[in-house]
Amino acid sequence: FRFEKLRLRHRRFDGSWSGEFDRELLRIPRAVCVLPYDPQRDIVLLIEQFRTGAIDHEGGPWLLECIAGLMEDHEDPPTTARREVGEEAGIEVDRLERVGVYAPSPGAVSERTTMFIARFDAGSVSAGIHGLDDENEDIRTHLVTFDQALELIDCERITAANAQLLLRWLQINRDNLRQRWGAPA
């Protein structure tokens, strides 16, 4: 990542120019986040890992979240999504549904994250430990029902924005998605 100190001015809404001001910017490449979902069993896969930015959080630095990662130069978002699912959860997905793009912290971070729901078969997966040794990843997977995942948001056990955004999207679009992906009524 690159950290830059900027001196800026910008055109204001009324057409005039702002005064000069200083801002810090953390440049992060484009990223993806993925929520694996089994529409037959109504189960999601979440990951838990140590997060330095949460070191002072009340619940500690181990967060429940969605699979996520940075795009390599040669990758498009779906390719990165499939790669990250394999690295962080040890699974393959048979379908990706693009949900949209969000900016995690646009006041000081350049990152734009493309979100996906990924169809997988939870019946062929068990919880486990995954991640890349050369990145010091220690990632635990959790299979939880969709309703349990919403409860984890409500009790503030899931505080990561990527998980909250994708789970709330799924909450709104679940019936339609299950119908399109061939889940039982």
Side-chain angles (χ1 to χ4, degrees):
F1 305 146
R2 237 178 33 236
F3 186 76
E4 299 175 0
K5 184 166 182 145
L6 306 173
R7 178 163 280 282
L8 304 168
R9 333 177 23 199
H10 64 83
R11 178 90 51 194
R12 298 168 55 96
F13 291 117
D14 66 5
S16 66
W17 281 94
S18 71
E20 286 190 354
F21 57 95
D22 294 326
R23 292 290 186 270
E24 290 79 28
L25 176 65
L26 178 60
R27 291 215 180 260
I28 297 178
R30 294 197 55 167
V32 301
C33 66
V34 185
L35 177 65
Y37 176 61
D38 180 334
Q40 299 291 327
R41 294 172 181 83
D42 205 24
I43 288 176
V44 297
L45 183 146
L46 298 170
I47 63 169
E48 180 180 13
Q49 64 182 319
F50 179 88
R51 293 308 216 178
T52 307
I55 204 158
D56 295 326
H57 288 196
E58 281 181 24
W62 286 269
L63 298 185
L64 282 174
E65 57 190 322
C66 290
I67 294 164
L70 300 176
M71 292 174 58
E72 302 288 338
D73 288 338
H74 64 281
E75 290 180 328
D76 62 6
T79 301
T80 303
R82 290 180 187 283
R83 176 178 52 78
E84 288 292 337
V85 165
E87 291 174 5
E88 295 190 359
I91 63 172
E92 290 185 16
V93 297
D94 63 6
R95 191 164 177 180
L96 287 172
E97 175 96 7
R98 186 180 185 279
V99 170
V101 175
Y102 77 99
S105 188
V109 180
S110 66
E111 179 183 343
R112 285 176 43 98
T113 301
T114 303
M115 300 177 288
F116 294 95
I117 301 287
R119 185 171 66 184
F120 83 113
D121 178 7
S124 64
V125 175
S126 59
I129 307 296
H130 304 280
L132 299 178
D133 289 337
D134 64 337
E135 293 184 14
N136 287 307
E137 292 179 327
D138 183 35
I139 300 170
R140 182 186 329 212
T141 57
H142 296 271
L143 298 171
V144 299
T145 67
F146 175 73
D147 289 337
Q148 288 170 328
L150 293 182
E151 290 171 12
L152 290 168
I153 291 174
D154 292 341
C155 73
E156 297 181 2
R157 178 66 178 93
I158 294 177
T159 58
N162 65 11
Q164 288 197 15
L165 286 167
L166 281 168
L167 286 166
R168 292 301 187 193
W169 182 92
L170 188 56
Q171 183 178 25
I172 294 166
N173 296 282
R174 188 166 123 231
D175 291 341
N176 180 275
L177 185 66
R178 293 182 86 200
Q179 182 179 21
R180 287 188 290 116
W181 283 1

